[in-house]
Amino acid sequence: QVQLQESGPGLVKPSQTLSLTCTVSGGSISSGNYYWSWIRQPAGKGLEWIGRIYTSGTTNYNPSLKSRVTISVDTSKNQFSLKLSSVTAADTAVYYCARGSVFNWFDPWGQGTLVTVSS
Amino acid sequence: QSVLTQPPSVSGAPGQRVTISCTGSSSNIGAGYDVHWYQQLPGTVPKVLIYGNNIRPSGVPDRFSGSRSGTSASLAITGLQAEDEADYYCQSYDRSLSGYVLFGGGTKLTVL
């Protein structure tokens, strides 16, 4: 079955850009009627949707993060990526990648990766 | 920006029934968008518990059920068990501002 795995630096300095990649295994990122999302969760807090990308390249972002977020896809590598610019301590969170269905529910999820914003 | 409102916490004794509400608005649940529920056990990845308002994925016990009406949705858990102690999140889609996914704030279920 499809599995997702996040990768990227665990520590980012304030004002810099957070960059993460999600690698999809067990199936093609282009198959089926799905999209690919990033979701984050600060410690002890709830889930926040960051954005999504279709393999066509179409994106949608959380309005509260839209000015700082870029999501891209590389179908040849079966990967999609997140860039979040001008980070602050408030961006410290576990970042998950997940597959979204046409009815907008998410399954599966990656295991999550903790990104800490600190100097 | 719209929100989905959940109670911060609910509790119940083993064997009891509890419900968790998820209140939205006319641009999300009230617009007919499906509501989905996730269970997050301590220290684990969220897992879809209910999708499409009331559909249980394979492997989810029938003690869990979902419903949607108007601008709200509910998750019901019957025959409460200690292993049900977790955080529960509702999730839907909002059609405003070019459209976006939104999660409820989460509800901590404590089994007494």
Side-chain angles (χ1 to χ4, degrees), chain A residues 35 37 39 41 44-50 52 60-66 96 101 103-112, chain B residues 1 33-34 36 38 40 44-48 50-52 57 87 89 91-93 96-106:
Chain A
Y35 60 80
S37 264
I39 297 160
Q41 184 174 35
K45 295 188 178 181
L47 301 166
E48 180 179 36
W49 181 74
I50 298 171
R52 67 180 176 185
N60 292 98
Y61 300 131
N62 186 321
S64 67
L65 298 169
K66 187 175 183 178
Y96 296 100
S101 77
F103 300 105
N104 297 305
W105 54 281
F106 298 103
D107 183 69
W109 296 53
Q111 67 183 32
Chain B
Q1 192 165 340
Y33 290 104
D34 287 342
H36 319 293
Y38 300 85
Q40 187 174 33
T44 69
V45 178
K47 178 189 87 167
V48 61
I50 298 285
Y51 67 92
D87 293 322
Y89 295 91
Q91 178 246 307
S92 188
Y93 184 83
S96 63
L97 299 171
S98 302
Y100 58 98
V101 170
L102 70 168
F103 286 93

Side-chain angles (χ1 to χ4, degrees), chain B residues 32-72:
Chain B
Y33 290 104
D34 287 342
V35 177
H36 319 293
W37 292 90
Y38 300 85
Q39 178 192 57
Q40 187 174 33
L41 297 167
T44 69
V45 178
K47 178 189 87 167
V48 61
L49 196 64
I50 298 285
Y51 67 92
N53 306 310
N54 55 19
I55 302 170
R56 287 187 310 277
S58 172
V60 173
D62 60 6
R63 302 186 296 105
F64 295 90
S65 62
S67 63
R68 183 189 75 181
S69 178
T71 58
S72 296

Side-chain angles (χ1 to χ4, degrees), chain A residues 76-99:
Chain A
S76 67
K77 294 183 178 179
N78 240 30
Q79 294 176 334
F80 64 105
S81 298
L82 168 70
K83 290 190 185 300
L84 181 64
S85 63
S86 305
V87 297
T88 69
D91 295 309
T92 294
V94 174
Y95 285 74
Y96 296 100
C97 57
R99 185 180 71 177

Side-chain angles (χ1 to χ4, degrees), chain B residues 74-93:
Chain B
S74 289
L75 173 71
I77 310 172
T78 59
L80 206 55
Q81 299 180 4
E83 67 226 43
D84 298 333
E85 189 160 292
D87 293 322
Y88 293 84
Y89 295 91
C90 63
Q91 178 246 307
S92 188
Y93 184 83

